[in-house]
Amino acid sequence: MADTTVTRNENESRYDVHVDGELAGFALYEIDGDRAAFTHTEIFETYQGGGIAGTLAGEALADTASRGLTIVPVCPYIARYLDRHEVEGATVAPPR
């Protein structure tokens, strides 16, 4: 089984997902006050189809909620994830 980790990369304004130490994808976000707009999610082709995007979204959104930020799902993948999954403590707002 692969070792999958998600980390917040503040220098790049994104959450990175690594599989066995290799970068497998990312979720970009933009902070505006107390809002975190998720703008794009990408999983590299080699890692697609293995549930990596769901792991990335779940952990990134949980971390964002734990920081007290309102989640703004601009990215269609993040919006679908939020429609299908509960994120404890999350406040979600529509894009402006």
Side-chain angles (χ1 to χ4, degrees):
M1 177 159 205
D3 178 34
T4 303
T5 58
V6 176
T7 55
R8 184 173 1 126
N9 180 341
E10 291 186 4
N11 291 332
E12 300 289 331
S13 296
R14 69 187 198 187
Y15 284 87
D16 293 334
V17 61
H18 290 84
V19 175
D20 292 333
E22 296 291 323
L23 183 64
F26 56 87
L28 294 173
Y29 63 86
E30 297 174 4
I31 302 291
D32 181 11
D34 65 348
R35 297 166 61 96
F38 282 82
T39 58
H40 179 71
T41 302
E42 185 171 335
I43 300 299
F44 304 142
E45 189 172 348
T46 305
Y47 299 99
Q48 291 179 2
I52 303 299
T55 299
L56 171 60
E59 292 192 28
L61 295 170
D63 181 67
T64 301
S66 76
R67 294 167 57 210
L69 297 168
T70 297
I71 297 165
V72 182
V74 177
C75 168
Y77 183 84
I78 296 295
R80 278 193 311 275
Y81 185 92
L82 287 167
D83 283 342
R84 297 174 182 169
H85 300 88
E86 184 72 26
V87 177
E88 186 174 334
T91 301
V92 181
R96 292 181 179 155

